[in-house]
């Protein structure tokens, strides 16, 4: 999907903010703040501002997210198929005090993410590096040393590929700007109830009223930099049938695009 072309054609971003979206994408939850979701000349801009959230820190899911997802979430992927998801975007983000998810492959069966990509928060670990990327999956949490989004106005090209397999036949690959962040196999990546993809800004590290999360939120407010913004030029999804392009679970043939 070419968001820049849609913006140039005069499309309304509000059409993505509900269940009647004309595309295969929609907001995860309706975005209540007017400028959280908008078309700009560069594409689809999404924003999230910690300062707009309730002072208690006891946020709902809808208040902690500025995300897009696939509309279809209850159809199982074809066992043995492979899906590549590629997106091109700019990131205007300050240092983050609580972890923020920028991508998830969500499993309906487990009601949780099967694969996610996060930015590390200042308070997340004793040796945390702000905004360093992590890959969080069914095979654990993996901190990727020296991997960060370009926050200087340059383009980020994120590629995520999942081979859907059960009984340890599944695999995934995550790549940023041509660098493989992580590739793993021998996993259960299939769900008979559906797997869908969502991307954007999910401040799960500042969502609830727990003591740590309140610390995260206060740290973000005290820093004076509370607004996170990403602008997506394009998002592309390519599905390969079993045996097409991918031999077994080997995803080494993917690098920078689908």
């Amino acid at each position: 999907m070419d968001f820049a072309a849609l913006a140039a054609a005069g499309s309304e971003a509000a059409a993505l903010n509900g269940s009647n979206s004309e595309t295969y994408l929609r907001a995860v939850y309706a975005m209540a703040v007017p400028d959280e979701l908008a078309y700009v000349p560069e594409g689809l801009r999404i924003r999230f501002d910690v300062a707009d959230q309730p002072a208690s820190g006891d946020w709902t899911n809808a208040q902690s997210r500025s995300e897009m997802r696939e509309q279809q979430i209850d159809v199982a992927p074809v066992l043995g198929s492979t899906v590549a998801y590629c997106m091109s975007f700019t990131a205007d983000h300050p240092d983050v005090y609580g972890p923020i998810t920028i991508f998830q492959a969500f499993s309906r069966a487990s009601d949780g993410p099967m694969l996610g990509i996060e930015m590390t928060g200042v308070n997340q670990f004793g040796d945390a590096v702000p905004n360093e990327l992590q890959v969080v999956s069914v095979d654990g949490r993996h901190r990727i040393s020296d991997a960060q989004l370009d926050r200087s106005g340059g383009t980020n090209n994120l590629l995520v590929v999942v081979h859907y397999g059960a009984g340890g036949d599944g695999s995934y690959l995550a790549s940023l700007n041509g660098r493989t962040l992580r590739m793993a196999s021998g996993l259960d990546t299939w769900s008979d109830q559906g797997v869908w993809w969502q991307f954007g800004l999910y401040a799960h590290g500042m969502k609830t009223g727990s003591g740590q999360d309140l610390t995260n939120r206060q740290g973000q407010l005290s820093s004076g930099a509370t607004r996170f913004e990403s602008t997506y030029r394009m998002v592309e999804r390519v599905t390969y049938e079993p045996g097409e392009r991918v031999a077994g679970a080997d995803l080494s043939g993917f690098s920078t695009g689908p």
Side-chain angles (χ1 to χ4, degrees), residues 2-11 39-43:
D2 188 334
F3 289 121
L6 288 171
S11 295
Y39 278 123
V40 295
E42 296 78 18

Side-chain angles (χ1 to χ4, degrees), residues 50 52-59 63 217:
V50 175
D52 290 336
Q53 310 313 316
S56 68
D58 189 14
W59 309 350
Q63 291 168 324
R217 182 182 188 279

Side-chain angles (χ1 to χ4, degrees), residues 89-93 149-154 156 229-231:
F89 62 100
T90 58
D92 183 3
H93 301 165
L149 298 177
D150 185 323
R151 296 184 283 153
S152 66
N156 295 284
E229 178 178 306
S230 296
T231 301

Side-chain angles (χ1 to χ4, degrees), residues 128-179:
V129 177
N131 299 69
E132 187 175 70
L133 295 183
Q134 305 175 60
V135 176
V136 185
S137 180
V138 290
D139 66 334
R141 178 179 296 275
H142 308 279
R143 298 171 65 182
I144 313 300
S145 178
D146 299 323
Q148 294 195 2
L149 298 177
D150 185 323
R151 296 184 283 153
S152 66
T155 299
N156 295 284
N157 293 295
L158 178 65
L159 170 69
V160 181
V161 186
V162 173
H163 177 72
Y164 290 117
D169 291 333
S171 58
Y172 72 81
L173 175 147
S175 169
L176 177 68
N177 298 330
R179 172 187 173 181

Side-chain angles (χ1 to χ4, degrees), residues 219-226:
Q220 200 72 60
L221 292 172
S222 298
S223 75
T226 60

